[in-house]
Coordinates of all heavy atoms in Angstrom, one line a residue:
A1 N 152.6 69.8 58.8 CA 153.9 69.8 59.4 C 155.1 70.0 58.4 O 156.2 70.0 58.8 CB 154.1 68.5 60.2
F2 N 154.8 70.1 57.1 CA 155.8 70.2 56.1 C 156.3 71.6 55.9 O 155.5 72.5 55.6 CB 155.3 69.6 54.8 CG 154.9 68.1 54.9 CD1 153.6 67.8 54.8 CD2 155.9 67.2 55.2 CE1 153.2 66.4 55.0 CE2 155.5 65.8 55.3 CZ 154.2 65.5 55.2
P3 N 157.6 71.8 56.0 CA 158.1 73.2 55.7 C 158.3 73.5 54.2 O 158.7 74.6 53.9 CB 159.5 73.1 56.5 CG 159.9 71.7 56.4 CD 158.7 70.9 56.5
W4 N 158.1 72.5 53.4 CA 158.3 72.7 51.9 C 157.0 72.6 51.2 O 156.0 72.1 51.7 CB 159.3 71.7 51.4 CG 158.8 70.3 51.7 CD1 157.9 69.6 51.0 CD2 159.2 69.4 52.8 NE1 157.7 68.3 51.6 CE2 158.5 68.2 52.7 CE3 160.1 69.6 53.8 CZ2 158.6 67.2 53.6 CZ3 160.2 68.5 54.7 CH2 159.5 67.3 54.6
I5 N 157.1 72.9 49.9 CA 155.9 72.6 49.0 C 156.4 71.6 48.0 O 157.6 71.5 47.7 CB 155.4 73.9 48.3 CG1 156.4 74.5 47.4 CG2 154.8 74.8 49.3 CD1 155.8 75.7 46.5
P6 N 155.5 70.7 47.5 CA 155.9 69.8 46.5 C 156.2 70.5 45.1 O 155.6 71.6 44.8 CB 154.7 68.9 46.3 CG 153.6 69.6 46.9 CD 154.1 70.6 47.9
S7 N 157.1 70.0 44.4 CA 157.4 70.6 43.1 C 156.5 69.9 42.1 O 157.0 69.2 41.2 CB 158.9 70.4 42.7 OG 159.7 71.0 43.6
V8 N 155.2 70.2 42.2 CA 154.2 69.6 41.4 C 153.2 70.7 41.1 O 152.8 71.4 41.9 CB 153.5 68.4 42.1 CG1 152.4 67.9 41.3 CG2 154.4 67.4 42.5
V9 N 152.8 70.8 39.8 CA 151.9 71.8 39.3 C 150.7 71.2 38.6 O 150.9 70.2 37.8 CB 152.7 72.8 38.4 CG1 151.7 73.8 37.8 CG2 153.8 73.5 39.2
S10 N 149.5 71.8 38.7 CA 148.4 71.3 37.9 C 148.6 71.6 36.5 O 149.2 72.7 36.1 CB 147.1 71.9 38.4 OG 147.2 73.3 38.4
R11 N 148.1 70.8 35.6 CA 148.3 71.0 34.1 C 147.1 71.7 33.5 O 147.2 72.1 32.4 CB 148.5 69.7 33.4 CG 149.9 69.1 33.8 CD 150.3 67.9 32.9 NE 150.5 68.5 31.6 CZ 150.4 67.7 30.5 NH1 150.0 66.4 30.6 NH2 150.6 68.2 29.3
T12 N 146.0 71.8 34.3 CA 144.8 72.5 33.8 C 144.5 73.7 34.6 O 144.8 73.7 35.8 CB 143.6 71.5 33.8 OG1 143.4 71.0 35.1 CG2 143.8 70.3 32.8
P13 N 143.9 74.7 34.1 CA 143.6 75.9 34.8 C 142.7 75.6 36.0 O 141.8 74.7 35.9 CB 142.9 76.8 33.8 CG 143.4 76.3 32.5 CD 143.6 74.8 32.6
P14 N 142.9 76.2 37.1 CA 144.0 77.2 37.4 C 145.4 76.5 37.6 O 145.4 75.6 38.4 CB 143.6 78.0 38.6 CG 142.8 77.0 39.4 CD 142.1 76.1 38.3
I15 N 146.4 76.9 36.9 CA 147.7 76.4 37.0 C 148.2 76.8 38.4 O 148.3 78.0 38.7 CB 148.7 76.8 35.9 CG1 148.1 76.6 34.5 CG2 150.0 76.2 36.0 CD1 147.8 75.1 34.2
D16 N 148.5 75.8 39.2 CA 148.9 76.1 40.6 C 149.7 75.0 41.2 O 149.7 73.9 40.6 CB 147.7 76.4 41.5 CG 148.0 77.3 42.7 OD1 149.2 77.6 42.9 OD2 147.1 77.7 43.4
V17 N 150.4 75.2 42.3 CA 151.1 74.1 43.0 C 150.0 73.2 43.6 O 149.0 73.6 44.1 CB 152.0 74.7 44.1 CG1 152.5 73.6 45.0 CG2 153.1 75.5 43.5
V18 N 150.2 71.9 43.4 CA 149.3 70.9 43.9 C 150.0 70.1 45.1 O 151.0 69.5 44.9 CB 148.9 69.9 42.8 CG1 148.0 68.8 43.3 CG2 148.4 70.6 41.6
E19 N 149.3 70.3 46.3 CA 150.0 69.7 47.4 C 149.6 68.2 47.7 O 150.4 67.4 48.1 CB 149.6 70.5 48.7 CG 150.1 71.9 48.5 CD 150.7 72.6 49.7 OE1 151.3 71.8 50.5 OE2 150.6 73.8 49.8
N20 N 148.3 67.9 47.4 CA 147.9 66.5 47.6 C 147.6 65.8 46.2 O 146.5 65.7 45.8 CB 146.6 66.5 48.4 CG 146.8 67.1 49.8 OD1 147.8 66.7 50.4 ND2 146.0 68.0 50.2
F21 N 148.7 65.5 45.6 CA 148.7 65.0 44.2 C 148.7 63.5 44.0 O 148.5 63.0 43.0 CB 149.8 65.7 43.4 CG 151.2 65.3 43.9 CD1 151.8 64.2 43.3 CD2 151.8 66.0 44.9 CE1 153.1 63.8 43.8 CE2 153.0 65.6 45.3 CZ 153.7 64.5 44.8
E22 N 149.0 62.8 45.1 CA 149.3 61.4 45.1 C 148.1 60.6 44.4 O 148.3 59.6 43.8 CB 149.6 60.8 46.4 CG 150.9 61.3 47.0 CD 150.8 62.6 47.7 OE1 149.7 63.2 47.9 OE2 151.8 63.1 48.2
S23 N 146.9 61.1 44.7 CA 145.7 60.3 44.2 C 145.3 60.8 42.8 O 144.3 60.2 42.2 CB 144.5 60.4 45.1 OG 144.2 61.8 45.3
L24 N 145.9 61.8 42.2 CA 145.5 62.4 40.9 C 146.2 61.6 39.8 O 147.3 61.0 40.0 CB 145.9 63.8 40.8 CG 145.3 64.8 41.9 CD1 145.8 66.2 41.8 CD2 143.7 64.8 41.7
E25 N 145.6 61.6 38.7 CA 146.1 60.9 37.5 C 147.3 61.7 37.0 O 147.4 62.9 37.1 CB 145.1 60.9 36.3 CG 143.9 60.0 36.7 CD 144.2 58.6 36.8 OE1 145.1 58.1 36.1 OE2 143.7 57.9 37.7
S26 N 148.3 61.0 36.4 CA 149.6 61.7 36.0 C 149.4 62.7 34.9 O 150.2 63.6 34.8 CB 150.6 60.6 35.6 OG 150.1 59.9 34.5
D27 N 148.3 62.6 34.1 CA 148.1 63.6 33.1 C 147.4 64.9 33.6 O 147.3 65.9 32.9 CB 147.2 63.0 31.9 CG 145.9 62.6 32.3 OD1 145.6 62.4 33.6 OD2 145.0 62.5 31.5
V28 N 147.1 64.9 34.9 CA 146.4 66.1 35.5 C 147.5 67.0 36.1 O 147.3 68.2 36.3 CB 145.4 65.6 36.5 CG1 144.8 66.8 37.3 CG2 144.3 64.8 35.9
V29 N 148.6 66.4 36.5 CA 149.7 67.2 37.2 C 151.0 67.0 36.4 O 151.2 66.1 35.7 CB 149.9 66.7 38.6 CG1 148.7 67.0 39.5 CG2 150.3 65.3 38.7
L30 N 151.9 68.0 36.6 CA 153.2 68.0 36.1 C 154.2 67.9 37.3 O 154.3 68.8 38.0 CB 153.5 69.2 35.3 CG 154.9 69.3 34.6 CD1 155.1 68.1 33.7 CD2 155.1 70.6 33.9
E31 N 154.7 66.7 37.5 CA 155.6 66.5 38.6 C 157.1 66.8 38.1 O 157.4 66.5 37.0 CB 155.6 65.0 39.0 CG 154.2 64.6 39.6 CD 154.2 63.2 40.2 OE1 155.2 62.9 40.9 OE2 153.3 62.5 39.8

């Protein structure tokens, strides 16, 4: 239902937008 994407990117390849990042460790994503 969300019209936006989170401004969060994975830090390891493949570098991409991460939508369900809440359960990931902070060193895995760049918020």
Side-chain angles (χ1 to χ4, degrees):
F2 299 110
W4 59 79
I5 61 172
S7 296
V8 179
V9 174
S10 59
R11 293 193 63 205
T12 57
I15 307 300
D16 205 355
V17 170
V18 180
E19 302 223 30
N20 298 312
F21 62 92
E22 293 84 3
S23 62
L24 298 174
E25 296 294 322
S26 61
D27 62 339
V28 177
V29 295
L30 181 60
E31 294 183 50

